[in-house]
Amino acid sequence: MLVVGLLALVLAFAAPTIRRYAGSATGWILAAFPAGVFVWLCVLTPDIGAGEPWRFSQEWVPGLGIALSFHIDGLGLLFGMLISGIGALVLVYAQGYLGEHKDLGRFYTTLLLFMISMLGVVWADNIVSLFVFWELTSVTSYLLIGFDHHRDTARKSALQALLVTGIGGLALLAGLILMAIATGSMELSEIAARSDLLLEHPLLTPALLLVLLGAMTKSAQFPFHFWLPGAMEAPTPVSAYLHSSTMVKAGVYLLARMQPTLGDADLWTPLVGTVGAVTMVVGAWLAMRQVYLKLLLAYSTVSALGGMVMLIGFGGELGAKAAATFILAHALYKGALFLVAGSIDHAAHEKDVRKLSGLGRLMPLTAVGAMVAGLSMSGFMPLFGFISKELLLEAALETPAWAGLFGAASVIGAVGMVVVAIAVGVRPFMGSWKETPRKPHEGGPTLWLGPTILAALSLLFGVAPSLVQKVLLSPAASAIYGVPMEVKLSLWHGLTPALGLSVLAIAVGVGVFLMRPGFIRLTSLSDRVGAYGPARWYTWVFDGMNEIARVQTRVLQSGYLRAYLFIMIVTTVGLTGWMMLSSGALAAPTELTPVQLHEAGLLALVLLGALLAVRSKSSLGAVAALGVVGYGVALIYVLFGAPDLAMTQFAIETLTVVLFVFVFYHLPKFRILTSVLARTRDALVAISAGMLMAALVIMAVSQRPLHEPISAYFAEHSVSKGYGRNVVNVILVDFRSIDTLGEIVVLAVAGVGVYALLRLREPREGGSS
Amino acid sequence: MIEKLALIQPEIVLFITTCVVMVIGLSRTYSVRKACATVSGVGIAIAGVLAIFTPQTDSALLPGLIPYAKTLVAGVGLLLLLLLSGVIDRDLELRVTRGEAFEPARANRGEFYSFFLFSLTGVMLCATADDLIWLFLALELASLPTYVMVAISTPRLRSQEAAVKYFFLGAFGAATFLYGFALIYGATGTTYLSEIRDIIGTDGLGAIGTAGFALALLGIAFKIAAVPMHFYTPDVYEGAATPVAAYLAFAPKAAGFLAFLLLTSTIGWTWGANGDALPDAIRVILWIMAALTMTIGNVLALLQTSVKRMLAYSSVAHSGYMLVGIVVGPGDGSFWQNGLSAMLFYLLCYGFMNMGAFAVLACVERMTGPDGEPIELETLDDIRGLCHTHPVMGWSMVLSALSLLGLPPLLGFMGKLLLVTAGLSGGEYLLVVVLLLNSAVAAFYYLRIVAGAMFEAPDARAGDGVLTTHRGRMIAAVASAASVVVLLPFVGPLVRASQRAVALQPTTAIVTMSEEVSDASPLVRVDDDVTQDR
């Protein structure tokens, strides 16, 4: 498995090279990979149908439970077949569609990478593997949407899609990890087996919400649906593949995968069902108002995804069966229609459906494919789309609560489908030819093969649903339902309420289509509402973040050293002071020795020095005053019995003052650059910092008895441990021998340095004298 | 004493190398001086090998940390050394290549490389520190040379201004944590970390101890560029030559995090209501610090047009991520709960990916200096279309930026995954939410780098934008960028190593505590092998 995966990666990266040698056959050659996967899946079918998923696992980070583990059950099989099957057709189609493009090789690379990641998503069993592939599909989708990267809109849409799905992905990651924490396993199959642990866990609700958020962004559910129409900037083969039949279904897949685990949560049906229904209605509404080929299809995809999510939200046997059927039916007709839309645009250079008609005679094969797919999408009789629509309506009507609302939503969704199907699949091919920027003609087999095969399957599965119900749909529905179940499909259910609604939807849909110009004008109010919709929220968030950044930069990052120091001191003093106050640790010391007169005098001197250092107008005066402070502190050391420390302090203080004088001599005079207010503020900050330090020192001194000086230890052990009576000698060569060694080394290195520096000067002196 | 000497063998080797470099750096012959870098490299390599074979010790607080941290420092140090090639004495070398006489008195090469080695020594010493004074000296040894490195890294005034700023703020930071150390000594009467831990374990932390640790952590926050001590980061990084900025983004930060680890382990995660957190006051400070550091770093990075400033802010943000691990603590020691090992592992990931981004930036130059010498490029415009003009550099940049962003399955993602898992297991939900939101915000600016390099047309002026002539820099860039992919299969062993690195030196109090915690956790059955059997 790993080897196959690596080989696939190699193939993906070799695509540009293959293209250089194989030319126009590249698409066919590359399509061998997904075709091979498809055949392999067909071979696996009997096992999976018998309830034995195919498994593979390779440890990655053992202990944390991160592994590259995969399993293919019914759901993985269904999605795997769609991904590999449609993938093969799209690879071939891209050859015809983008044949002359100079970056076709790069396109194939990205598309193959996407295919691999998508297969990874639907087969992954480990949540980390799932997440890795999940994000990789977002990234490859980003690359594909931005394929024409010289166009600004393409780049913007690509980024928008990536940010929305990527951020949703982060929520998904958190949700999955919460589920893993609750159940103690990182494997999805294990988590499902331990779902009772999860259902009782306090983390259930956050986990559910986060996972749902991830699925909603990926599958373009309201209010995150806006990125999908933007993604239509991608070349049409990409739209057909990623944004209708595969990637956007990853969210649907995820929810289907979670149904056995989370489906029993109280929140599941109300939440997921509602999200799906709302999306279905909003998508249908927006779809009916579009005039461009791909946008019509994009919004109808949003609507269809909403329908799938709704069905999964319903759960139960009927919901699972309807969902599995809908996923298959939708992939078949929507993939075909997208490819048709691409062919039309490719042949006629026209995207506006109002200006297209009479293409049927010019592109007969495409027309047949388009019409069959369109009729399947609108739910006409012997086609597979009809069966799936019947099941959808039936499931909506049988929900335990709000059946009326869900039923109405489903009908609106169905109406939208009908309108779009007629506008894209039927109308452009009827009537007589209208002038288009280019005279259309039938493309080569690469262009018509895909749509016709997909359309033929729609017809075949409609007439003979028994072909797929046992091998494909039953295992898939069982995986969604969580318990093995049997799917039985038939074209004719008898005169049911669902059939009535289906007929109603077609009638209304045809009516809306006939009056479309008027309908669009009548409903133009919704544009104004739409202007404040989720797409605008995205802009607000985007701009708001930049505004916050601007304000923060102005306030915090001024570039002035003094401003930085100011904030640093204030926060340090504030945090420490707050801590002392809140813990009630600030207490006045109780036992103090009385202050002697000379001590008071010394302190006054130090304070005076500090004050002078701040107030002095001349720099040399300030340096001198600072020196006074330093010497005063040294005197305090003398008074309290630390003569060695005092000696050091004297030496350092003297050196500092001398250095200061040297340096300050070259600096300009002090000038007052700040206002009185600013100086008062600074003074307050300085005083509070000083007070805090003082308080801490007093507390520290009064808390514990001071410790015995180390000199006592040296004096006592000089003979016993160092065998010497001269304590200083013993310290130097024994107790602190390594220190002494270090000092000698420092001296030696310094000596070598001085010697080398002196040698550097020699030649120049020699030359000048 | 002698056991301790055995522990610091790598540092001793580095110190000897430093002395040698300092001496040959003063040579009058140009070719001898040029050997500085090579000698440094050999020294670092030997130190790294010695670090792997550090003898076992019980005297240190976190015995496992010593080999781990030093090997990491040596590894990244080698890459940094490659990256630093060509920083110092540029104009001088140009003149030599033009056939003019070499002026030994004006060259700073020896000083520069020895300061670099001194600083690395300081970082390594931080890992070995078992005593507050040692820790202070090590931290300052890691930092002080960097002030000079910034100042002499370019002949521009901007570098000197940056160095002055860096020095003043750094001095404030150092004073703060030194004061904190003094208070800790005042509260406990000892400077040995393990003794401090025992005293705190029996007597509690106390007001002075709390204040001491708070001040110490705040002061060290300067080294890791965490809020409120982060202000210098963009200004200083921008002022320094890019390779030196890369150095600043790793070495002092590693030193700071090692110090954080040691200090927080001294306090121990045995406080709070459940007995698995830091004391409230310290926890609150670190919590706020982590949240603010991530947020401010990422938000401020949004507006930048200079990639260098952007990376500076991003390095601030990454410190925030790592602080999450410290707030969470070791949990029961298992992979799932161990925030400390997650933090250490993240430090490793950060070291490589951050270096990759800086290194690519350092490789892009333009020959427009007054003497025709190369000038550093650093704006987003300058790296536009890099994938087309210089594919290797461009893709290295893309990989590094994506890894910094945390894109799965790159190394940065694995690091973040561990932090998130530990945070959620440790119950720090809000902090993890902040982390994830920040990852989302970060996407906005990292993707600007990525999209600029991959998609946009090269800048009109980029015609004269060239790659550096210094091969070392390119090797460093490619090696670091490749590591975010190449290290992926070894994540398991690396995480295990970082888990061993933070295993506490056992004392009775701690062991019983962790056993109690692990009994209550359902996750133990997944992994309970490493810390439990110690």
Side-chain angles (χ1 to χ4, degrees), chain A residues 186-218:
Chain A
M186 287 250 183
E187 302 291 312
L188 286 170
S189 43
E190 269 299 295
I191 293 177
R194 298 183 198 165
S195 65
D196 47 333
L197 275 178
L198 181 61
L199 289 173
E200 286 159 16
H201 206 275
L203 292 175
L204 171 68
T205 309
L208 192 157
L209 289 176
L210 289 167
V211 169
L212 181 62
L213 199 62
M216 282 168 72
T217 51
K218 194 81 167 183

Side-chain angles (χ1 to χ4, degrees), chain A residues 60 149 557 559 564 697 704 707, chain B residues 165 179 187 189 231 235 455 488:
Chain A
W60 188 358
H149 50 70
Q557 208 68 41
Y564 296 168
V697 169
R704 253 174 197 271
H707 311 283
Chain B
K165 244 184 220 174
Y179 197 65
F231 294 105
D235 298 358
F455 287 155
L488 280 181

Side-chain angles (χ1 to χ4, degrees), chain B residues 123-315:
Chain B
V123 183
M124 287 195 178
L125 280 171
C126 279
T128 330
D130 62 351
D131 175 312
L132 287 177
I133 294 174
W134 182 330
L135 186 58
F136 172 76
L137 291 175
L139 276 170
E140 284 312 289
L141 184 60
S143 300
L144 278 172
T146 57
Y147 304 137
V148 187
M149 282 167 71
V150 170
I152 63 176
S153 67
T154 75
R156 290 171 305 174
L157 273 180
R158 211 167 66 162
S159 297
Q160 284 161 31
E161 186 195 331
V164 168
K165 244 184 220 174
Y166 189 33
F167 174 69
F168 273 121
L169 297 173
F172 177 76
T176 311
F177 70 72
L178 182 60
Y179 197 65
F181 285 2
L183 287 176
I184 297 173
Y185 172 72
T188 58
T190 172
T191 56
Y192 284 100
L193 295 177
S194 40
E195 286 179 18
I196 295 174
R197 180 181 59 160
D198 294 344
I199 289 174
I200 292 175
T202 48
D203 298 359
L205 196 49
I208 296 295
T210 314
F213 275 104
L215 283 176
L217 294 177
L218 272 171
I220 296 173
F222 178 85
K223 309 284 181 222
I224 62 170
V227 174
M229 304 291 194
H230 69 287
F231 294 105
Y232 72 93
T233 332
D235 298 358
V236 172
Y237 286 18
E238 196 181 24
T242 310
V244 175
Y247 184 79
L248 295 184
F250 178 74
K253 198 165 270 200
F257 270 108
L258 292 174
F260 256 68
L261 256 184
L262 288 171
L263 287 179
T264 43
S265 303
T266 307
I267 309 173
W269 286 261
T270 53
W271 312 76
N274 301 327
D276 61 351
L278 289 166
D280 260 352
I282 303 290
R283 183 180 161 272
V284 168
I285 287 186
L286 286 179
W287 200 102
I288 297 176
M289 198 187 271
L292 283 181
T293 305
M294 296 186 249
T295 313
I296 289 186
N298 279 322
V299 169
L300 290 188
L302 283 177
L303 285 184
Q304 304 308 320
T305 50
S306 153
V307 180
K308 213 162 155 191
R309 279 185 88 89
M310 205 182 264
L311 289 175
Y313 282 117
S314 111
S315 81

Side-chain angles (χ1 to χ4, degrees), chain A residues 60 62-64 131 135 139 142 149 184 542 549-550 553 557 559 564 568 571 585 693 697 699 704 707 752 759-760, chain B residues 23 28 165 179 187 189 207-208 228-229 231 234-235 299-300 303 313 335 407-408 413 417-418 444 451 455 488 526:
Chain A
W60 188 358
L64 195 54
F131 179 74
E135 292 291 63
V139 173
Y142 166 73
H149 50 70
F542 206 102
R550 239 184 304 278
T553 312
Q557 208 68 41
Y564 296 168
M568 282 163 68
T571 36
M693 294 298 139
V697 169
M699 282 169 62
R704 253 174 197 271
H707 311 283
V752 174
R759 265 172 57 89
L760 282 183
Chain B
V23 172
R28 260 189 300 174
K165 244 184 220 174
Y179 197 65
I208 296 295
M229 304 291 194
F231 294 105
D235 298 358
V299 169
L300 290 188
L303 285 184
Y313 282 117
F335 272 144
L407 180 89
F413 163 72
L417 177 71
L418 288 177
F444 282 82
F455 287 155
L488 280 181
V526 177

Side-chain angles (χ1 to χ4, degrees), chain A residues 23-46:
Chain A
S24 63
T26 319
W28 298 95
I29 295 173
L30 293 177
F33 163 65
V37 173
F38 190 84
V39 171
W40 177 65
L41 286 174
C42 290
V43 173
L44 285 182
T45 309

Side-chain angles (χ1 to χ4, degrees), chain B residues 55 77 92 94 237 277 285 287 395 448 523:
Chain B
L92 218 61
L94 269 177
Y237 286 18
I285 287 186
W287 200 102
W395 287 105
R448 272 168 70 200
L523 295 174

